[in-house]
PDB file of all heavy atoms in Angstrom:
ATOM      1  N   LEU A1573      -7.667  19.775 -17.202  1.00 91.00           N
ATOM      2  CA  LEU A1573      -7.763  18.514 -17.770  1.00 91.00           C
ATOM      3  C   LEU A1573      -6.574  18.318 -18.813  1.00 91.00           C
ATOM      4  O   LEU A1573      -6.004  17.280 -18.982  1.00 91.00           O
ATOM      5  CB  LEU A1573      -9.054  18.281 -18.402  1.00 91.00           C
ATOM      6  CG  LEU A1573     -10.180  17.848 -17.489  1.00 91.00           C
ATOM      7  CD1 LEU A1573     -11.559  17.940 -18.241  1.00 91.00           C
ATOM      8  CD2 LEU A1573     -10.017  16.426 -16.898  1.00 91.00           C
ATOM      9  N   ARG A1574      -6.334  19.354 -19.588  1.00 89.00           N
ATOM     10  CA  ARG A1574      -5.342  19.369 -20.646  1.00 89.00           C
ATOM     11  C   ARG A1574      -4.006  19.268 -19.992  1.00 89.00           C
ATOM     12  O   ARG A1574      -3.201  18.463 -20.463  1.00 89.00           O
ATOM     13  CB  ARG A1574      -5.511  20.738 -21.412  1.00 89.00           C
ATOM     14  CG  ARG A1574      -4.485  20.859 -22.517  1.00 89.00           C
ATOM     15  CD  ARG A1574      -4.688  22.323 -23.116  1.00 89.00           C
ATOM     16  NE  ARG A1574      -3.629  22.557 -24.041  1.00 89.00           N
ATOM     17  CZ  ARG A1574      -3.498  23.788 -24.586  1.00 89.00           C
ATOM     18  NH1 ARG A1574      -4.368  24.751 -24.248  1.00 89.00           N
ATOM     19  NH2 ARG A1574      -2.518  24.052 -25.411  1.00 89.00           N
ATOM     20  N   LEU A1575      -3.621  19.989 -18.880  1.00 91.00           N
ATOM     21  CA  LEU A1575      -2.360  19.931 -18.262  1.00 91.00           C
ATOM     22  C   LEU A1575      -2.216  18.465 -17.655  1.00 91.00           C
ATOM     23  O   LEU A1575      -1.055  18.008 -17.592  1.00 91.00           O
ATOM     24  CB  LEU A1575      -2.121  21.021 -17.328  1.00 91.00           C
ATOM     25  CG  LEU A1575      -2.159  22.413 -17.842  1.00 91.00           C
ATOM     26  CD1 LEU A1575      -2.116  23.494 -16.726  1.00 91.00           C
ATOM     27  CD2 LEU A1575      -0.950  22.640 -18.837  1.00 91.00           C
ATOM     28  N   MET A1576      -3.269  18.009 -17.078  1.00 92.00           N
ATOM     29  CA  MET A1576      -3.191  16.667 -16.451  1.00 92.00           C
ATOM     30  C   MET A1576      -2.796  15.668 -17.512  1.00 92.00           C
ATOM     31  O   MET A1576      -1.938  14.716 -17.242  1.00 92.00           O
ATOM     32  CB  MET A1576      -4.450  16.307 -15.804  1.00 92.00           C
ATOM     33  CG  MET A1576      -4.435  14.971 -14.992  1.00 92.00           C
ATOM     34  SD  MET A1576      -5.960  14.494 -14.231  1.00 92.00           S
ATOM     35  CE  MET A1576      -7.028  14.177 -15.585  1.00 92.00           C
ATOM     36  N   ASP A1577      -3.394  15.688 -18.662  1.00 88.00           N
ATOM     37  CA  ASP A1577      -3.104  14.805 -19.745  1.00 88.00           C
ATOM     38  C   ASP A1577      -1.593  14.985 -20.140  1.00 88.00           C
ATOM     39  O   ASP A1577      -0.955  13.978 -20.498  1.00 88.00           O
ATOM     40  CB  ASP A1577      -4.003  15.078 -20.973  1.00 88.00           C
ATOM     41  CG  ASP A1577      -3.901  14.045 -22.130  1.00 88.00           C
ATOM     42  OD1 ASP A1577      -4.426  12.967 -21.978  1.00 88.00           O
ATOM     43  OD2 ASP A1577      -3.187  14.564 -23.007  1.00 88.00           O
ATOM     44  N   VAL A1578      -1.150  16.192 -20.267  1.00 89.00           N
ATOM     45  CA  VAL A1578       0.246  16.420 -20.691  1.00 89.00           C
ATOM     46  C   VAL A1578       1.203  15.789 -19.656  1.00 89.00           C
ATOM     47  O   VAL A1578       2.208  15.268 -20.053  1.00 89.00           O
ATOM     48  CB  VAL A1578       0.431  17.928 -20.719  1.00 89.00           C
ATOM     49  CG1 VAL A1578       1.946  18.255 -20.973  1.00 89.00           C
ATOM     50  CG2 VAL A1578      -0.297  18.523 -21.978  1.00 89.00           C
ATOM     51  N   SER A1579       0.815  15.816 -18.396  1.00 90.00           N
ATOM     52  CA  SER A1579       1.571  15.225 -17.282  1.00 90.00           C
ATOM     53  C   SER A1579       1.615  13.668 -17.315  1.00 90.00           C
ATOM     54  O   SER A1579       2.308  13.133 -16.571  1.00 90.00           O
ATOM     55  CB  SER A1579       1.125  15.784 -16.017  1.00 90.00           C
ATOM     56  OG  SER A1579       1.227  17.152 -15.957  1.00 90.00           O
ATOM     57  N   GLY A1580       0.755  13.097 -18.133  1.00 90.00           N
ATOM     58  CA  GLY A1580       0.659  11.647 -18.216  1.00 90.00           C
ATOM     59  C   GLY A1580      -0.370  10.976 -17.373  1.00 90.00           C
ATOM     60  O   GLY A1580      -0.219   9.704 -17.216  1.00 90.00           O
ATOM     61  N   GLY A1625       2.294  23.223 -22.412  1.00 34.00           N
ATOM     62  CA  GLY A1625       1.785  22.985 -23.627  1.00 34.00           C
ATOM     63  C   GLY A1625       1.259  21.482 -23.765  1.00 34.00           C
ATOM     64  O   GLY A1625       1.097  20.872 -22.827  1.00 34.00           O
ATOM     65  N   ILE A1626       1.118  21.117 -25.152  1.00 32.00           N
ATOM     66  CA  ILE A1626       0.572  19.766 -25.323  1.00 32.00           C
ATOM     67  C   ILE A1626       1.323  18.972 -26.251  1.00 32.00           C
ATOM     68  O   ILE A1626       0.865  18.149 -26.979  1.00 32.00           O
ATOM     69  CB  ILE A1626      -0.913  20.018 -25.829  1.00 32.00           C
ATOM     70  CG1 ILE A1626      -0.851  20.797 -27.071  1.00 32.00           C
ATOM     71  CG2 ILE A1626      -1.860  20.606 -24.861  1.00 32.00           C
ATOM     72  CD1 ILE A1626      -2.138  20.749 -27.965  1.00 32.00           C
ATOM     73  N   SER A1627       2.731  19.179 -26.377  1.00 33.00           N
ATOM     74  CA  SER A1627       3.447  18.530 -27.240  1.00 33.00           C
ATOM     75  C   SER A1627       3.423  17.060 -27.196  1.00 33.00           C
ATOM     76  O   SER A1627       3.537  16.340 -28.141  1.00 33.00           O
ATOM     77  CB  SER A1627       4.942  19.045 -27.140  1.00 33.00           C
ATOM     78  OG  SER A1627       5.484  18.796 -25.877  1.00 33.00           O
ATOM     79  N   SER A1628       3.259  16.554 -25.913  1.00 36.00           N
ATOM     80  CA  SER A1628       3.122  15.091 -25.729  1.00 36.00           C
ATOM     81  C   SER A1628       1.709  14.654 -25.339  1.00 36.00           C
ATOM     82  O   SER A1628       1.505  13.596 -24.839  1.00 36.00           O
ATOM     83  CB  SER A1628       4.109  14.686 -24.629  1.00 36.00           C
ATOM     84  OG  SER A1628       3.706  15.262 -23.403  1.00 36.00           O
ATOM     85  N   SER A1629       0.737  15.480 -25.744  1.00 40.00           N
ATOM     86  CA  SER A1629      -0.618  15.123 -25.380  1.00 40.00           C
ATOM     87  C   SER A1629      -1.112  13.920 -25.998  1.00 40.00           C
ATOM     88  O   SER A1629      -0.846  13.579 -27.134  1.00 40.00           O
ATOM     89  CB  SER A1629      -1.449  16.338 -25.706  1.00 40.00           C
ATOM     90  OG  SER A1629      -2.860  16.108 -25.351  1.00 40.00           O
TER      91      SER A1629
END
Side-chain angles (χ1 to χ4, degrees):
L1573 281 169
R1574 177 183 173 189
L1575 294 177
M1576 182 178 75
D1577 182 81
V1578 171
S1579 301
I1626 56 165
S1627 58
S1628 62
S1629 177

